[in-house]
Amino acid sequence: MERIGFIGLGKMGLPMATGLVKEGYSVTGYDINEKATLTFKERGGGIATSIHQVLAACDIILTSLPSVKAAEEVFLGERGLVEQGDSSKILVDTSTVSPELNQMLDKSCTEKGIPFLAAPVSGGVIGAEQQTLTVMVGGKRAVYERVLPIFEVIGGNIFHVNEQIDSGTTVKLINNLLIGFYTAGVSEALHIANKKNIDLNDLYSMLSVSYGQSRIYERNYQTFIANNDYEPGFSLKLLRKDLEFAMQVAEENQLDLPISKTLLSLYQQVEKEGYGDQDMAVLYQRVLEQSNKREAAK
Ligand SMILES: NC(=O)c1ccc[n+]([C@@H]2O[C@H](COP(=O)([O-])OP(=O)(O)OC[C@H]3O[C@@H](n4cnc5c(N)ncnc54)[C@H](O)[C@@H]3O)[C@@H](O)[C@H]2O)c1
């Protein structure tokens, strides 16, 4: 059995790595946050205190990191995965980063003969815990086939999009652009129901059997809005990051996407107001607060 390394044991990485442990893999975890590493240890994982130790102990190394900066540090930094890695290892980034970063990492890995896949995931923390994530993979087919048994542990739906390294990321960004639309749509639509004294649970039941239904409405309403609890989940700042990447792709391809542009400025503004660390469903709360402010100013 291949020995697995997992770097980034956050909301997604921890359950993904734990799933691999449950299936009998030897998994060595590493995170700059010591608390995350210790939690992984409690769940049966091995722990490393440096990237060097991960490379020494593992054959296939997966990463789940929160930003381009973090991914650059882990892959391209001094004593990072590329500098210390060699062709006997396979590197797989499951983070959602820019297509540009996928290409940069692929170039650096190729120069050192290190097989690399960019494999973002969808399905949220619940999908990671239940090992049902959708995995969208870009990169060489032969490398994909070697990693497939691992993907089949963390996910329920695995797709090799094509051999272009950023192809999985492109699909993932399209997915998250739609998540951004639905999240904003749900927030504003529910506000109409409030104003017209329609019970939100009743609305949910009716729309669940109508075309207004969506997986995002289901998730945002049932888990967050109905409980008035916005502990993430998928934080609003991570969604803002993905919308920025989607708009970068649009710009690079000279696409004019006016609604997407407006959406991105909305999320940027809401993050500036301090909602960034809460689940993206908090957009509904912000619609209410804005409305209350307007009422109070009348
Ligand atoms: N949360 C979701 O629902 C969700 C769903 C799909 C995809 N994603 C993507 O998965 C990735 C991770 O998301 P998350 O929600 O788990 O984020 P998170 O912030 O909960 O976890 C990231 C982890 O990486 C660690 N980290 C940061 N820099 C590091 C470094 N230099 N070395 C080692 N560890 C480092 C952090 O300490 C943290 O534990 C993101 O790219 C996100 O867009 C998230």
Side-chain angles (χ1 to χ4, degrees):
M1 228 176 191
E2 254 137 349
R3 299 165 307 162
I4 313 297
F6 215 111
I7 301 181
L9 300 165
K11 284 183 279 300
M12 294 298 286
L14 180 67
M16 283 197 265
T18 306
L20 287 160
V21 171
K22 276 195 221 146
E23 299 298 321
Y25 281 94
S26 148
V27 187
T28 303
Y30 170 66
D31 196 296
I32 44 168
N33 175 357
E34 201 190 342
K35 215 171 127 207
T37 325
L38 291 176
T39 309
F40 184 52
K41 191 177 174 196
E42 282 163 18
R43 296 186 185 186
I47 57 171
T49 53
S50 67
I51 292 175
H52 178 77
Q53 283 184 5
V54 177
L55 280 163
C58 306
D59 310 301
I60 299 180
I61 294 129
L62 286 88
T63 50
S64 175
L65 296 160
S67 63
V68 163
K69 187 169 165 276
E72 277 179 349
E73 248 168 56
V74 168
F75 279 85
L76 305 177
E78 214 180 303
R79 301 187 64 73
L81 286 170
V82 173
E83 187 184 293
Q84 302 185 87
D86 60 53
S87 59
S88 69
K89 312 290 174 192
I90 298 179
L91 305 183
V92 181
D93 189 15
T94 70
S95 326
T96 308
V97 294
S98 61
E100 201 184 353
L101 183 65
N102 290 158
Q103 289 156 15
M104 201 157 64
L105 299 187
D106 189 49
K107 186 167 177 279
S108 304
C109 286
T110 304
E111 279 165 10
K112 282 209 69 182
I114 307 171
F116 171 66
L117 297 172
V121 298
S122 177
V125 176
I126 291 177
E129 283 166 352
Q130 297 179 343
Q131 297 169 245
T132 55
L133 291 170
T134 297
V135 188
M136 306 156 212
V137 190
K140 293 271 178 294
R141 175 107 209 157
V143 182
Y144 165 77
E145 277 164 8
R146 284 184 59 195
V147 184
L148 186 56
I150 312 290
F151 289 142
E152 284 173 339
V153 171
I154 62 174
N157 294 290
I158 320 300
F159 299 95
H160 180 239
V161 182
N162 64 41
E163 292 212 337
Q164 228 171 278
I165 195 67
D166 60 1
S167 59
T169 294
T170 303
V171 175
K172 167 75 188 179
L173 295 180
I174 293 169
N175 181 64
N176 282 23
L177 182 58
L178 289 171
I179 290 177
F181 280 119
Y182 290 132
T183 292
V186 166
S187 311
E188 295 187 5
L190 296 199
H191 191 43
I192 298 177
N194 281 332
K195 285 286 161 195
K196 297 292 291 179
N197 296 320
I198 294 169
D199 180 84
L200 291 189
N201 281 329
D202 292 346
L203 181 76
Y204 180 75
S205 303
M206 290 183 273
L207 294 196
S208 293
V209 290
S210 304
Y211 275 142
Q213 186 271 352
S214 74
R215 296 274 301 278
I216 288 297
Y217 180 20
E218 181 185 324
R219 169 206 186 276
N220 286 6
Y221 183 66
Q222 286 201 315
T223 311
F224 301 95
I225 297 171
N227 298 315
N228 194 25
D229 179 358
Y230 297 98
E231 182 71 28
F234 186 45
S235 66
L236 187 133
K237 69 179 178 200
L238 285 182
L239 178 60
R240 185 268 308 146
K241 154 186 81 77
D242 297 346
L243 295 177
E244 281 176 357
F245 295 148
M247 292 315 289
Q248 276 171 23
V249 175
E251 268 167 40
E252 280 158 22
N253 291 279
Q254 285 102 44
L255 305 179
D256 181 27
L257 307 178
I259 297 175
S260 308
K261 237 187 243 169
T262 306
L263 198 69
L264 173 58
S265 16
L266 171 71
Y267 283 99
Q268 286 169 330
Q269 171 62 28
V270 174
E271 185 180 351
K272 253 192 229 147
E273 291 169 16
Y275 297 88
D277 289 321
Q278 300 188 65
D279 190 84
M280 62 183 177
V282 77
L283 205 57
Y284 169 71
Q285 192 59 44
R286 194 255 187 187
V287 169
L288 293 188
E289 284 166 15
Q290 293 285 314
S291 164
N292 290 342
K293 267 188 213 160
R294 270 194 304 273
E295 291 290 324
K298 270 183 194 165

